[in-house]
Amino acid sequence: MTQDVSDIYRIRTGELTLHHVKYLNFFPRNEKVVNCLYQNRNALFRLVCFPWGGGDSTYFAKWGQDIPNSVEVHAIRLAGRESRLEEPFASDMNQIVDEIACALLPIIQGEYFAFFGHSMGSFTAFFTALHLKEKYNLEPVHLFVSSLSPPHVSNFIFLREGGGKEGSACFKSKARIHLHKDDLCKEEIFYVMKKVGGIPDKFFDKKMSPEFVTRLLADLHILNDVTSDIPSKTRLSCDITCFSGSEDIPLDMEAWKDVTSGSFDSFVLPGNHFYLMEPSNTSFIKKYITKTLEISAFTS
């Protein structure tokens, strides 16, 4: 789809300049990067959901089917999966964030929007929110994070340290990554994820295909390389709510309050790292997000 940049500029208001719009090239990227199965342009809020490591957009995109009409759900689709299988995986978090920000701008500009991220998605949501604020003066009204401590707190080590010559992954797909020859293979991933992720055996039985393993390795590499110093000052001003499972590995979710000057809340729900798969927990999260966003509209 092609649209004159002057038309885009007249449509969108706020801090974006014509120079920004000209080079963002957003329209071709929208459907590729952002999955909205249930469009509701009359909704008051845009909820953008960020998947876990190795995950795709499908699970969160389906949230739009039964969420209240005040919320339109968008799910992020990363490179190397789903309709983007032919594309190479992102090399680092900056590349992911840049692409997501460009794709989101026409969706969130001039709108109330919020982010929800689970596990790796918490990092992706946080860094995207930070990028949007610093570069475009846009910030979500609320950041919801799940099952991962903030970047400035030590999370578990995803990959073993080690050098050596680069080799191919244990399992190859059309979107390839280069790994050290002593990197984790399928059996080791089973052990590591069961040990530190609080993930039930049935998850591995259904999800641990060679393609999933390759996606997971790519995402774990990115997580392993993410570093963030303890913030000397709060970096966001939006409210933050944290969710975690009662049987998950120990997490310092309280440390998320360090990254914002807004209010902070935290919930522990029954279950493991994928507690949100439990229907009662999913229902609670959707209702809580909707209520929180609706209240924010009255108080803003």
PDB file of all heavy atoms in Angstrom, residues 79-97:
ATOM      1  N   ALA A  79      10.506 -11.677  13.342  1.00  0.00           N
ATOM      2  CA  ALA A  79      11.066 -12.299  12.145  1.00  0.00           C
ATOM      3  C   ALA A  79      11.440 -13.755  12.404  1.00  0.00           C
ATOM      4  O   ALA A  79      11.766 -14.145  13.527  1.00  0.00           O
ATOM      5  CB  ALA A  79      12.291 -11.523  11.681  1.00  0.00           C
ATOM      6  N   GLY A  80      11.370 -14.574  11.348  1.00  0.00           N
ATOM      7  CA  GLY A  80      11.783 -15.970  11.445  1.00  0.00           C
ATOM      8  C   GLY A  80      10.693 -16.915  11.896  1.00  0.00           C
ATOM      9  O   GLY A  80      10.972 -18.065  12.246  1.00  0.00           O
ATOM     10  N   ARG A  81       9.441 -16.468  11.876  1.00  0.00           N
ATOM     11  CA  ARG A  81       8.330 -17.321  12.307  1.00  0.00           C
ATOM     12  C   ARG A  81       7.040 -16.901  11.598  1.00  0.00           C
ATOM     13  O   ARG A  81       6.940 -15.815  11.066  1.00  0.00           O
ATOM     14  CB  ARG A  81       8.162 -17.268  13.824  1.00  0.00           C
ATOM     15  CG  ARG A  81       7.856 -15.897  14.392  1.00  0.00           C
ATOM     16  CD  ARG A  81       8.414 -15.755  15.793  1.00  0.00           C
ATOM     17  NE  ARG A  81       9.850 -15.496  15.741  1.00  0.00           N
ATOM     18  CZ  ARG A  81      10.655 -15.580  16.808  1.00  0.00           C
ATOM     19  NH1 ARG A  81      10.191 -15.934  17.980  1.00  0.00           N
ATOM     20  NH2 ARG A  81      11.944 -15.317  16.679  1.00  0.00           N
ATOM     21  N   GLU A  82       6.073 -17.825  11.590  1.00  0.00           N
ATOM     22  CA  GLU A  82       4.776 -17.598  10.945  1.00  0.00           C
ATOM     23  C   GLU A  82       4.964 -17.158   9.482  1.00  0.00           C
ATOM     24  O   GLU A  82       5.734 -17.761   8.745  1.00  0.00           O
ATOM     25  CB  GLU A  82       3.971 -16.571  11.737  1.00  0.00           C
ATOM     26  CG  GLU A  82       3.645 -16.992  13.161  1.00  0.00           C
ATOM     27  CD  GLU A  82       2.894 -15.912  13.897  1.00  0.00           C
ATOM     28  OE1 GLU A  82       1.654 -15.855  13.766  1.00  0.00           O
ATOM     29  OE2 GLU A  82       3.529 -15.111  14.620  1.00  0.00           O
ATOM     30  N   SER A  83       4.293 -16.091   9.082  1.00  0.00           N
ATOM     31  CA  SER A  83       4.387 -15.610   7.701  1.00  0.00           C
ATOM     32  C   SER A  83       5.746 -14.998   7.390  1.00  0.00           C
ATOM     33  O   SER A  83       6.036 -14.672   6.238  1.00  0.00           O
ATOM     34  CB  SER A  83       3.287 -14.576   7.432  1.00  0.00           C
ATOM     35  OG  SER A  83       3.410 -13.470   8.313  1.00  0.00           O
ATOM     36  N   ARG A  84       6.593 -14.866   8.406  1.00  0.00           N
ATOM     37  CA  ARG A  84       7.925 -14.276   8.219  1.00  0.00           C
ATOM     38  C   ARG A  84       9.025 -15.339   8.316  1.00  0.00           C
ATOM     39  O   ARG A  84      10.171 -15.032   8.636  1.00  0.00           O
ATOM     40  CB  ARG A  84       8.165 -13.182   9.264  1.00  0.00           C
ATOM     41  CG  ARG A  84       7.079 -12.107   9.296  1.00  0.00           C
ATOM     42  CD  ARG A  84       7.420 -11.007  10.276  1.00  0.00           C
ATOM     43  NE  ARG A  84       8.610 -10.283   9.849  1.00  0.00           N
ATOM     44  CZ  ARG A  84       9.228  -9.352  10.601  1.00  0.00           C
ATOM     45  NH1 ARG A  84       8.775  -9.064  11.807  1.00  0.00           N
ATOM     46  NH2 ARG A  84      10.302  -8.753  10.144  1.00  0.00           N
ATOM     47  N   LEU A  85       8.662 -16.578   8.028  1.00  0.00           N
ATOM     48  CA  LEU A  85       9.593 -17.690   8.183  1.00  0.00           C
ATOM     49  C   LEU A  85      10.829 -17.553   7.316  1.00  0.00           C
ATOM     50  O   LEU A  85      11.919 -17.992   7.687  1.00  0.00           O
ATOM     51  CB  LEU A  85       8.873 -19.005   7.862  1.00  0.00           C
ATOM     52  CG  LEU A  85       9.630 -20.294   8.164  1.00  0.00           C
ATOM     53  CD1 LEU A  85       9.917 -20.421   9.655  1.00  0.00           C
ATOM     54  CD2 LEU A  85       8.841 -21.501   7.670  1.00  0.00           C
ATOM     55  N   GLU A  86      10.686 -16.928   6.167  1.00  0.00           N
ATOM     56  CA  GLU A  86      11.813 -16.796   5.252  1.00  0.00           C
ATOM     57  C   GLU A  86      12.806 -15.722   5.689  1.00  0.00           C
ATOM     58  O   GLU A  86      13.918 -15.653   5.170  1.00  0.00           O
ATOM     59  CB  GLU A  86      11.294 -16.455   3.841  1.00  0.00           C
ATOM     60  CG  GLU A  86      10.383 -17.507   3.231  1.00  0.00           C
ATOM     61  CD  GLU A  86      11.148 -18.727   2.768  1.00  0.00           C
ATOM     62  OE1 GLU A  86      12.384 -18.636   2.666  1.00  0.00           O
ATOM     63  OE2 GLU A  86      10.511 -19.768   2.519  1.00  0.00           O
ATOM     64  N   GLU A  87      12.413 -14.886   6.632  1.00  0.00           N
ATOM     65  CA  GLU A  87      13.275 -13.786   7.064  1.00  0.00           C
ATOM     66  C   GLU A  87      14.271 -14.252   8.124  1.00  0.00           C
ATOM     67  O   GLU A  87      13.946 -15.105   8.955  1.00  0.00           O
ATOM     68  CB  GLU A  87      12.435 -12.640   7.622  1.00  0.00           C
ATOM     69  CG  GLU A  87      11.467 -12.039   6.629  1.00  0.00           C
ATOM     70  CD  GLU A  87      10.654 -10.922   7.247  1.00  0.00           C
ATOM     71  OE1 GLU A  87      11.218 -10.156   8.057  1.00  0.00           O
ATOM     72  OE2 GLU A  87       9.455 -10.827   6.942  1.00  0.00           O
ATOM     73  N   PRO A  88      15.469 -13.703   8.143  1.00  0.00           N
ATOM     74  CA  PRO A  88      16.432 -14.054   9.198  1.00  0.00           C
ATOM     75  C   PRO A  88      15.987 -13.513  10.540  1.00  0.00           C
ATOM     76  O   PRO A  88      15.280 -12.503  10.621  1.00  0.00           O
ATOM     77  CB  PRO A  88      17.726 -13.367   8.740  1.00  0.00           C
ATOM     78  CG  PRO A  88      17.259 -12.227   7.902  1.00  0.00           C
ATOM     79  CD  PRO A  88      16.018 -12.708   7.189  1.00  0.00           C
ATOM     80  N   PHE A  89      16.374 -14.184  11.603  1.00  0.00           N
ATOM     81  CA  PHE A  89      16.078 -13.707  12.940  1.00  0.00           C
ATOM     82  C   PHE A  89      16.782 -12.372  13.187  1.00  0.00           C
ATOM     83  O   PHE A  89      17.817 -12.079  12.585  1.00  0.00           O
ATOM     84  CB  PHE A  89      16.549 -14.711  14.005  1.00  0.00           C
ATOM     85  CG  PHE A  89      15.834 -16.027  13.960  1.00  0.00           C
ATOM     86  CD1 PHE A  89      16.527 -17.204  13.689  1.00  0.00           C
ATOM     87  CD2 PHE A  89      14.472 -16.094  14.186  1.00  0.00           C
ATOM     88  CE1 PHE A  89      15.868 -18.423  13.666  1.00  0.00           C
ATOM     89  CE2 PHE A  89      13.801 -17.313  14.160  1.00  0.00           C
ATOM     90  CZ  PHE A  89      14.506 -18.481  13.896  1.00  0.00           C
ATOM     91  N   ALA A  90      16.226 -11.589  14.081  1.00  0.00           N
ATOM     92  CA  ALA A  90      16.871 -10.337  14.477  1.00  0.00           C
ATOM     93  C   ALA A  90      18.199 -10.642  15.149  1.00  0.00           C
ATOM     94  O   ALA A  90      18.370 -11.679  15.797  1.00  0.00           O
ATOM     95  CB  ALA A  90      15.967  -9.551  15.413  1.00  0.00           C
ATOM     96  N   SER A  91      19.143  -9.732  15.010  1.00  0.00           N
ATOM     97  CA  SER A  91      20.475  -9.946  15.579  1.00  0.00           C
ATOM     98  C   SER A  91      20.577  -9.472  17.021  1.00  0.00           C
ATOM     99  O   SER A  91      21.407  -9.967  17.775  1.00  0.00           O
ATOM    100  CB  SER A  91      21.530  -9.234  14.726  1.00  0.00           C
ATOM    101  OG  SER A  91      21.255  -7.842  14.641  1.00  0.00           O
ATOM    102  N   ASP A  92      19.756  -8.509  17.407  1.00  0.00           N
ATOM    103  CA  ASP A  92      19.813  -8.008  18.777  1.00  0.00           C
ATOM    104  C   ASP A  92      18.508  -7.306  19.118  1.00  0.00           C
ATOM    105  O   ASP A  92      17.624  -7.129  18.282  1.00  0.00           O
ATOM    106  CB  ASP A  92      21.009  -7.067  18.974  1.00  0.00           C
ATOM    107  CG  ASP A  92      21.023  -5.899  17.995  1.00  0.00           C
ATOM    108  OD1 ASP A  92      19.943  -5.345  17.688  1.00  0.00           O
ATOM    109  OD2 ASP A  92      22.120  -5.537  17.518  1.00  0.00           O
ATOM    110  N   MET A  93      18.387  -6.891  20.381  1.00  0.00           N
ATOM    111  CA  MET A  93      17.167  -6.253  20.847  1.00  0.00           C
ATOM    112  C   MET A  93      16.925  -4.913  20.163  1.00  0.00           C
ATOM    113  O   MET A  93      15.770  -4.543  19.895  1.00  0.00           O
ATOM    114  CB  MET A  93      17.230  -6.063  22.365  1.00  0.00           C
ATOM    115  CG  MET A  93      15.957  -5.474  22.990  1.00  0.00           C
ATOM    116  SD  MET A  93      14.482  -6.529  22.778  1.00  0.00           S
ATOM    117  CE  MET A  93      14.818  -7.831  23.971  1.00  0.00           C
ATOM    118  N   ASN A  94      17.971  -4.188  19.847  1.00  0.00           N
ATOM    119  CA  ASN A  94      17.796  -2.902  19.178  1.00  0.00           C
ATOM    120  C   ASN A  94      17.114  -3.058  17.827  1.00  0.00           C
ATOM    121  O   ASN A  94      16.249  -2.253  17.462  1.00  0.00           O
ATOM    122  CB  ASN A  94      19.145  -2.198  18.994  1.00  0.00           C
ATOM    123  CG  ASN A  94      19.715  -1.682  20.294  1.00  0.00           C
ATOM    124  OD1 ASN A  94      18.974  -1.356  21.219  1.00  0.00           O
ATOM    125  ND2 ASN A  94      21.031  -1.610  20.381  1.00  0.00           N
ATOM    126  N   GLN A  95      17.489  -4.087  17.090  1.00  0.00           N
ATOM    127  CA  GLN A  95      16.881  -4.324  15.789  1.00  0.00           C
ATOM    128  C   GLN A  95      15.402  -4.660  15.946  1.00  0.00           C
ATOM    129  O   GLN A  95      14.556  -4.193  15.172  1.00  0.00           O
ATOM    130  CB  GLN A  95      17.605  -5.463  15.068  1.00  0.00           C
ATOM    131  CG  GLN A  95      17.087  -5.728  13.657  1.00  0.00           C
ATOM    132  CD  GLN A  95      17.839  -6.856  12.962  1.00  0.00           C
ATOM    133  OE1 GLN A  95      18.839  -7.361  13.460  1.00  0.00           O
ATOM    134  NE2 GLN A  95      17.340  -7.273  11.811  1.00  0.00           N
ATOM    135  N   ILE A  96      15.078  -5.469  16.938  1.00  0.00           N
ATOM    136  CA  ILE A  96      13.682  -5.817  17.199  1.00  0.00           C
ATOM    137  C   ILE A  96      12.872  -4.576  17.543  1.00  0.00           C
ATOM    138  O   ILE A  96      11.793  -4.335  17.004  1.00  0.00           O
ATOM    139  CB  ILE A  96      13.591  -6.848  18.340  1.00  0.00           C
ATOM    140  CG1 ILE A  96      14.142  -8.194  17.895  1.00  0.00           C
ATOM    141  CG2 ILE A  96      12.145  -7.002  18.818  1.00  0.00           C
ATOM    142  CD1 ILE A  96      14.175  -9.244  18.985  1.00  0.00           C
ATOM    143  N   VAL A  97      13.400  -3.776  18.447  1.00  0.00           N
ATOM    144  CA  VAL A  97      12.688  -2.588  18.917  1.00  0.00           C
ATOM    145  C   VAL A  97      12.480  -1.586  17.793  1.00  0.00           C
ATOM    146  O   VAL A  97      11.388  -1.001  17.653  1.00  0.00           O
ATOM    147  CB  VAL A  97      13.444  -1.945  20.101  1.00  0.00           C
ATOM    148  CG1 VAL A  97      12.908  -0.555  20.408  1.00  0.00           C
ATOM    149  CG2 VAL A  97      13.334  -2.840  21.333  1.00  0.00           C
TER     150      VAL A  97
END
